[in-house]
C-alpha cells in the first residue's frame, strides 16, 4: 500500500474503504462517477472527516479514485483490474442459491408477460393505456391540495388503506358495479397483483386445488401455483366459464374467475352460470376470487353488476383496480372481502408492506368524492369505444374473410382468430410482424393445458394505448404479414 498521512486501521476507516471498493467493483459507482464528498459521507456515517479522507487517499493510491485539490474525487477510468474481487473466481461456477420451497417454485416458473415490443411503431400491447388519457390536470390539482394539507406528523397509515378512500370506494362501487359493502370490508392494495398474492397466501396450502379459467390470466395462475397448489383448468366458451365442467368429486379450495369480461376471450358470464358458480362454491366451501379488471368498460349498455352483488353466502372476494382507468404504473387496487376475512387480510397487508402510498390514496378519494373520477371514466369509455370501432372496421376491411374476433362487447382488447394458420404458427407470425414495426401478441401462452395444436392461431390485440388513426395502418401491416405467411 502507498504511504498515507493517516493510516487505515481496522474499524470505521476500513469499512468505508471496503464499501467504496465494492461499489466500484460491482458498478454501483461506475467509471467517471463522482464519489460522495468526504464531508457529506463523514456526516452520514457519524465518523470524523479525517477517517473518510484516509479511506479516500488509500483508494486513490491504489488507482481506484482520482483526486485533485479543490475538485471532487471521481472513480478512475477504467478502474484497476484488482477492483473486481469476483475475477479470481471467474473460472468457478457459482453454486445455486439455497431457496425455500416457495422460492424454488418461483424460480422454476415460466412467466409469459405482455411487455412492449421494442421499436414498434404501432404496438397493440394489452394492459397499456394512452398517456394522453390520464386526467393530468385534475390529478395535479388534487395532488397539490393534498400535498399542502397539514398533517400533525408523517407516520405510518392503517394497512387497510385511508378511510376517506375506502368510504369513497364504497359509494362508487354501489353506483358503478352494484356492490353492497361496508367500507370496513375494503382493503387497498398495490394493484390487483398484490390482491391475488394475498389471496394465494391466505387461502391456499400446498397440495390444495384451485379452479382456473382456461385460457386465463397467467400471472394469477402462477401466483396460486407458487403456493404449491394445483390448477384445475376449466374451459371457457363465448359466455365465459363453463360451469357445467366445474369439478364435482374433487375438492377445490378456491376459484379464480373474470365473470364480467373473461380474460382473454371476452365472454360475459350469464346469470344462470353465476348462480351455478355460487352454488358450487357453497357446496365445496370454496372461495371465489372475482377479478373485475376492466368492468367499467362495457360498450352499448351499462356495465354488468359484479358477481359479489348476488353473493348471499359471503364466498366472493371482489378485486378491482385503477390500472385500466388511470394507469398501471400507479399500482393501486382494492379488495372487497367477506367480513370474516377482513382481519387476516389486514394483518397480511401490514406484514407485506404496511400500507399503500397514502398521498395517492387521498388524491383518489378527492377525485371520486368530487365526481371527477366518474366523469373521467365516462369520457374514457367513449374514447375506447371509438378505438374499438376503428379496430373492428380495420380488421373487416384489411384482413382475410375468415379472420374473426372475440370479446368485443367490453374491455380494452380483442382476440383475433386466424383460421388459415395454426397455433404453432403464432411465434413466426409475431416475429414477422415485429420485424415490420408492429407489436402483436400470441394467445397460446394464456392456455394452461397442452393440446393447443388443434386451435387456430390467435392474437391478443390491446387498443387502449393507440390512436384511432393507427388502427387501419396496423391492420394493413398485419394483412401483409399474413399474406406472406399463408403464401
Amino acid at each position: 500500500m502507498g504511504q498515507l498521512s493517516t493510516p487505515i486501521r481496522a474499524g470505521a476507516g476500513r469499512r468505508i474503504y471496503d464499501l467504496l471498493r465494492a461499489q466500484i467493483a460491482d458498478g454501483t459507482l461506475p467509471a467517471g462517477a463522482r464519489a460522495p464528498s468526504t464531508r457529506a459521507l463523514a456526516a452520514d456515517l457519524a465518523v470524523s472527516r479525517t477517517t473518510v479522507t484516509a479511506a479516500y487517499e488509500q483508494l486513490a493510491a491504489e488507482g481506484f479514485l482520482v483526486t485533485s485539490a479543490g475538485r471532487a474525487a471521481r472513480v478512475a477510468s477504467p478502474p484497476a483490474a484488482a477492483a473486481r474481487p469476483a475475477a479470481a473466481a471467474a473460472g468457478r461456477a457459482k453454486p445455486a442459491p439455497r431457496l425455500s420451497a416457495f422460492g424454488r417454485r418461483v424460480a422454476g416458473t415460466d412467466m409469459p408477460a405482455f411487455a412492449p415490443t421494442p421499436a414498434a411503431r404501432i404496438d397493440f400491447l394489452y394492459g397499456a393505456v394512452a398517456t394522453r388519457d390520464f386526467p393530468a390536470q385534475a390529478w395535479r390539482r388534487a395532488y397539490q391540495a393534498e400535498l399542502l394539507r397539514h398533517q400533525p406528523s408523517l407516520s405510518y397509515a392503517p394497512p387497510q388503506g385511508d378511510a376517506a378512500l375506502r368510504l369513497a370506494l364504497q359509494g362508487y362501487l354501489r353506483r358503478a358495479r352494484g356492490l353492497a359493502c361496508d367500507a370496513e370490508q375494503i382493503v387497498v392494495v398495490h394493484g390487483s397483483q398484490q390482491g391475488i398474492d394475498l389471496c394465494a397466501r391466505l387461502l391456499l396450502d400446498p397440495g390444495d386445488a384451485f379452479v382456473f379459467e382456461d385460457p386465463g390470466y397467467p400471472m394469477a395462475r402462477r401466483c396460486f401455483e407458487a403456493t404449491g397448489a394445483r390448477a384445475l383448468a376449466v374451459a371457457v366458451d363465448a359466455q365465459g366459464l363453463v360451469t357445467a365442467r366445474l369439478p364435482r368429486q374433487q375438492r377445490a379450495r378456491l376459484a379464480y374467475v373474470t365473470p364480467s369480461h373473461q380474460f382473454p376471450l371476452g365472454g360475459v358470464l350469464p346469470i344462470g352460470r353465476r348462480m351455478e358458480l355460487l352454488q358450487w362454491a357453497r357446496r365445496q366451501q370454496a372461495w371465489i376470487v372475482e377479478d373485475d379488471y376492466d368492468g367499467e368498460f362495457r360498450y352499448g349498455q351499462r356495465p354488468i353488476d359484479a358477481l359479489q352483488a348476488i353473493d348471499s353466502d359471503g364466498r366472493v372476494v371482489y378485486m378491482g383496480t385503477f390500472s385500466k382507468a388511470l394507469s398501471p404504473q400507479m399500482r393501486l387496487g382494492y379488495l372487497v372481502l367477506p367480513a370474516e376475512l377482513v382481519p387476516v387480510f389486514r394483518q397480511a397487508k401490514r406484514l407485506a408492506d404496511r400500507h399503500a402510498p397514502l398521498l395517492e390514496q387521498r388524491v383518489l378519494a378527492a377525485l371520486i368524492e368530487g365526481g371527477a373520477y366518474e366523469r373521467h371514466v365516462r369520457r374514457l369509455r367513449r374514447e375506447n369505444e371509438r378505438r374499438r370501432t376503428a379496430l373492428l372496421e380495420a380488421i373487416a376491411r384489411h384482413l382475410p374473410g375468415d379472420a374473426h374476433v372475440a370479446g368485443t362487447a367490453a374491455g380494452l382488447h380483442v382476440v383475433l382468430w386466424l383460421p388459415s394458420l395454426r397455433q404453432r404458427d403464432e411465434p413466426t407470425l409475431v416475429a414477422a410482424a415485429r420485424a415490420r414495426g408492429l407489436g402483436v401478441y400470441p394467445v397460446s401462452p394464456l392456455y394452461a393445458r397442452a393440446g393447443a395444436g388443434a386451435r387456430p392461431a390467435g392474437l391478443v390485440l390491446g387498443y387502449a394505448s393507440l390512436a384511432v388513426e393507427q388502427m387501419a395502418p396496423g391492420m394493413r401491416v398485419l394483412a401483409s404479414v399474413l399474406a406472406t405467411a399463408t403464401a
Side-chain angles (χ1 to χ4, degrees), residues 189-197 217 291 319-321 331-333:
V189 292
H190 271 104
S192 58
Q193 193 62 39
Q194 186 182 49
I196 292 168
D197 181 63
Y217 179 46
D291 190 347
M319 184 161 50
T321 179
R331 308 314 307 138
L332 278 179

Side-chain angles (χ1 to χ4, degrees), residues 86-421:
R92 300 197 302 267
K94 287 187 66 176
R98 295 190 65 180
L99 300 173
S100 67
F102 175 82
R104 292 192 296 274
R105 287 189 291 267
V106 171
T109 295
D110 176 22
M111 189 72 71
F114 288 99
T117 299
R121 294 186 297 275
I122 301 175
D123 195 353
F124 287 93
L125 175 64
Y126 169 74
V129 296
T131 302
R132 61 186 175 276
D133 285 343
F134 186 80
Q137 296 291 341
W139 183 269
R140 184 168 59 200
R141 285 192 298 269
Y143 193 94
Q144 184 74 5
E146 292 300 327
L147 191 63
L148 296 177
R149 190 186 303 277
H150 174 72
Q151 297 186 58
S153 64
L154 300 179
S155 58
Y156 293 112
Q160 64 267 28
D162 184 63
L165 177 57
R166 290 185 292 112
L167 191 60
L169 279 170
Q170 177 191 20
Y172 171 73
L173 291 171
R174 165 70 83 172
R175 296 188 298 273
R177 308 298 294 119
L179 265 72
C181 70
D182 189 88
E184 293 301 303
Q185 294 175 252
I186 298 174
V187 172
V188 179
V189 292
H190 271 104
S192 58
Q193 193 62 39
Q194 186 182 49
I196 292 168
D197 181 63
L198 290 173
C199 290
R201 289 189 286 126
L202 296 176
L203 304 179
L204 290 172
D205 282 321
D208 285 344
F210 66 94
V211 165
F212 194 83
E213 298 168 331
D214 193 25
Y217 179 46
M219 289 274 282
R221 175 163 57 91
R222 297 306 191 197
C223 194
F224 294 135
E225 288 175 333
T227 68
R230 297 174 295 106
L232 302 177
V234 176
V236 302
D237 60 18
Q239 294 184 316
L241 182 76
V242 181
T243 49
R245 298 189 182 181
L246 286 167
R248 307 295 173 180
Q249 305 302 321
Q250 190 170 7
R251 174 74 186 276
R253 289 281 300 278
L254 179 151
Y256 171 86
V257 294
T258 52
S260 294
H261 184 228
Q262 197 278 327
F263 182 83
L265 300 187
V268 177
L269 201 66
I271 186 62
R273 290 191 185 182
R274 291 177 182 235
M275 297 306 299
E276 188 174 356
L277 175 59
L278 291 170
Q279 292 162 6
W280 172 87
R282 183 187 306 120
R283 291 193 301 270
Q284 292 262 336
Q285 290 296 291
W287 301 106
I288 299 172
V289 178
E290 177 183 10
D291 190 347
D292 195 19
Y293 65 100
D294 63 1
E296 294 100 338
F297 298 101
R298 183 165 176 80
Y299 309 115
Q301 51 190 296
R302 73 176 298 275
I304 298 292
D305 283 350
L307 179 67
Q308 191 269 1
I310 58 171
D311 172 28
S312 59
D313 294 320
R315 309 304 307 173
V316 176
V317 175
Y318 175 87
M319 184 161 50
T321 179
F322 294 103
S323 293
K324 306 301 184 292
L326 290 173
S327 168
Q329 296 177 359
M330 187 170 293
R331 308 314 307 138
L332 278 179
Y334 49 91
L335 300 173
V336 180
L337 298 161
E340 63 189 291
L341 292 180
V342 169
V344 68
F345 271 77
R346 287 184 178 184
Q347 283 290 74
K349 173 63 177 171
R350 188 193 302 275
L351 290 174
D353 57 8
R354 284 193 179 264
H355 58 81
L358 186 59
L359 186 59
E360 284 79 0
Q361 290 186 66
R362 290 179 173 170
V363 172
L364 271 172
L367 294 179
I368 296 172
E369 290 168 355
Y373 180 75
E374 285 171 83
R375 289 193 296 273
H376 165 71
V377 169
R378 289 193 293 271
R379 181 188 64 79
L380 197 55
R381 189 183 297 129
R382 291 192 297 270
E383 185 62 25
N384 282 320
E385 186 168 14
R386 290 179 61 237
R387 292 177 173 122
R388 182 203 62 155
T389 299
L391 175 59
L392 296 179
E393 290 175 350
I395 289 172
R397 183 178 303 116
H398 298 293
L399 296 190
D402 61 349
H404 60 279
V405 293
T408 63
L412 305 176
H413 74 279
V414 299
V415 172
L416 173 66
W417 293 110
L418 302 167
S420 58
L421 298 173

